[in-house]
């Protein structure tokens, strides 16, 4: 064993270093069916007013409000998509259906229920309010209004409004292409039976899912053995097609830990150790062409917690999100949280509602090899380094993964 030469960086500082070196990816134009979940790259402006014409909100008669109380001659019909193109003169009315264009001259719509019809004569009530029962030009949007801002994630409503203003294509940030690889001679592919001393590679599948959930396009590179030449070959092969490399294992100080020297030879290692539990050996490097490399620790919980703390915000920045971090909420601790002397600790908790409060309970043993401490976890509670810990009943700010 050799001692690590990398300085221990504060967890917050390491997270800032990662984001400082993370670019925003370029954008592409995509058809609306491919935009759900993507991030808009430019502000979207309304080219013209919406609605573009005065359209009836009800079925009834388009009339002049000044004709209130009179019996009017019905001169035609305006249905959705079939406008009546003549003006409604004083003393006349046009039958109108929902979505139909309000003809020129008319300034209000009277509902069918409120009129008396006799042949082609209609008697309307009094008084009538100008502007009643129809949507005016520009009620929703005026020409030149900003409809959506750059950095907005596109969901159903956003894609709907883009279509409504006539945008068949939208400029969206490219999804980061991320190659995910496990390292270690002890690993076997899931589905195979481990031999003596072997374990099943679970990190790659956990990280693959985490990458997809974070909006990345994940590419599975498989398992690299603890062999410098083979590891280098696998990594350089995949770097052509990837923006980001995520590995697990091979970053602690044992003699088989080859990821740091490899990243050192391919680029610049900015973070080689962090004051974080779990996840002390977390490694971050930049490679040629602005590519990023994350060397995550091998222990399953360490790899996923460092993914949450460092990788996910970077993936969001690459995609152009304005909000990079998980939301936080105050939660009351339902257990005594012990602190680690020299490292920030992220403890995994479940949440329950108690009156107006959220109460956090530990998910049990927080060992970095116990993946069950993350299964069902709804938040990460950050416990500052020291010998104090945080007593049950204290309200702390928690990073929310999912709400009860
Ligand atoms: P390392 O950082 O390579 O020393 O790995 C530390 C420990 O994490 C190993 O001894 C394994 O128990 C575990 N580990 C490493 N890689 C994986 C993996 N891909 N899946 C599950 N556990 C792993
Ligand atoms: Mg290893």
């Amino acid at each position: 064993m050799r001692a690590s030469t990398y300085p221990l960086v504060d967890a917050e500082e390491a997270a800032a270093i990662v984001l400082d070196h993370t670019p925003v990816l370029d954008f592409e134009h995509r058809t609306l069916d491919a935009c759900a979940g993507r991030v808009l790259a430019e502000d979207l402006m309304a080219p013209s007013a919406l609605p573009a014409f005065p359209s009836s909100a009800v079925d009834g008669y388009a009339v002049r409000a000044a004709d209130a109380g009179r019996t009017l001659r019905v001169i035609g019909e305006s249905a959705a998509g079939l406008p009546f193109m003549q003006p409604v003169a004083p003393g006349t009315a046009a039958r109108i259906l929902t979505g139909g264009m309000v003809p020129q001259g008319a300034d209000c719509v009277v509902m069918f229920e409120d009129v008396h019809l006799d042949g082609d004569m209609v008697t309307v009530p009094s008084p009538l309010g100008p502007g009643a029962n129809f949507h005016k030009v520009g009620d929703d949007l005026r020409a030149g209004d900003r409809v959506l801002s750059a950095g907005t994630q596109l969901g159903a409503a956003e894609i709907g409004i883009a279509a409504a203003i006539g945008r068949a294509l939208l400029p969206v940030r490219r999804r980061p292409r991320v190659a995910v690889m496990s390292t270690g001679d002890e690993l076997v592919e899931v589905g195979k039976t481990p031999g003596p001393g072997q374990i099943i590679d679970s990190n790659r599948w956990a990280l693959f899912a985490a990458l997809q959930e974070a909006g990345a396009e994940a590419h599975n590179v498989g398992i690299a053995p603890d062999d410098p030449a083979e590891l280098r070959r696998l990594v350089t092969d995949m770097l052509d097609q990837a923006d980001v490399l995520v590995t697990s294992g091979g970053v602690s100080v044992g003699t088989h830990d080859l990821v740091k020297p490899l990243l050192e030879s391919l680029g610049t290692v900015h973070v080689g150790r962090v004051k974080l539990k779990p996840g002390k050996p977390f490694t971050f490097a930049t490679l040629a062409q602005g590519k990023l490399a994350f060397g995550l620790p091998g222990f399953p919980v360490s790899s996923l917690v460092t993914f949450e703390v460092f990788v996910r915000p970077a993936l969001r920045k690459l995609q152009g999100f304005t909000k990079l971090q998980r939301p936080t909420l105050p939660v009351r601790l339902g257990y005594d949280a012990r602190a680690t002397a020299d490292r920030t600790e992220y403890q995994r908790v479940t949440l329950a509602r108690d009156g107006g409060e959220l109460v956090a309970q530990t998910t049990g043993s927080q060992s970095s090899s116990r993946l069950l401490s993350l299964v069902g976890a709804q938040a990460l509670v950050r416990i500052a380094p020291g010998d104090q810990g945080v007593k049950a009943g204290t309200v702390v700010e928690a990073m929310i993964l999912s709400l009860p």
Side-chain angles (χ1 to χ4, degrees), residues 13-194:
E13 194 188 332
I17 291 172
V18 169
L19 289 178
D20 276 351
H21 287 93
T22 302
V24 178
L25 291 177
D26 46 351
F27 64 86
E28 54 195 0
H29 282 89
R30 299 302 306 268
T31 51
L32 295 181
D33 55 346
C35 285
R38 302 290 290 267
V39 179
L40 191 66
E42 292 171 348
D43 288 352
L44 206 63
M45 316 303 279
S48 51
L50 199 71
F53 57 87
S55 80
S56 185
V58 297
D59 295 331
Y61 289 88
V63 303
R64 292 168 173 267
D67 280 343
R70 294 179 59 188
T71 298
L72 311 170
R73 193 162 54 80
V74 180
I75 55 170
E77 181 186 271
S78 189
L82 296 170
F84 177 63
M85 299 308 279
Q86 293 167 41
V88 168
T92 69
R95 206 172 115 87
I96 194 163
L97 303 171
T98 304
M101 185 164 107
V102 177
Q104 262 188 15
D107 62 0
C108 84
V109 175
V110 190
M111 288 196 274
F112 278 154
E113 297 86 305
D114 297 336
V115 304
H116 176 76
L117 187 66
D118 184 5
D120 63 355
M121 300 303 287
V122 65
T123 306
V124 294
S126 182
L128 292 177
N133 294 325
F134 72 95
H135 306 295
K136 276 132 233 111
V137 172
D139 261 1
D140 294 353
L141 286 171
R142 288 160 306 163
D145 278 355
R146 184 188 294 117
V147 182
L148 297 172
S149 303
T152 301
Q153 188 173 28
L154 299 169
E158 291 77 14
I159 290 172
I161 191 78
I165 63 166
R167 296 294 299 258
L169 294 171
L170 290 178
V172 291
R173 292 281 163 199
R174 196 158 63 71
R175 287 189 186 281
R177 288 187 284 265
V178 184
V180 56
M181 174 195 289
S182 296
T183 72
D185 283 337
E186 75 278 31
L187 301 176
V188 293
E189 190 65 69
V190 63
K192 297 209 173 110
T193 308

Side-chain angles (χ1 to χ4, degrees), residues 182-184 186-187 199-204 248-252 257 281 296-300:
S182 296
T183 72
E186 75 278 31
L187 301 176
I199 60 167
I200 296 170
D201 172 12
S202 60
N203 287 353
R204 192 156 35 99
S248 78
V251 284
S252 45
D257 296 315
L296 307 186
F299 282 114

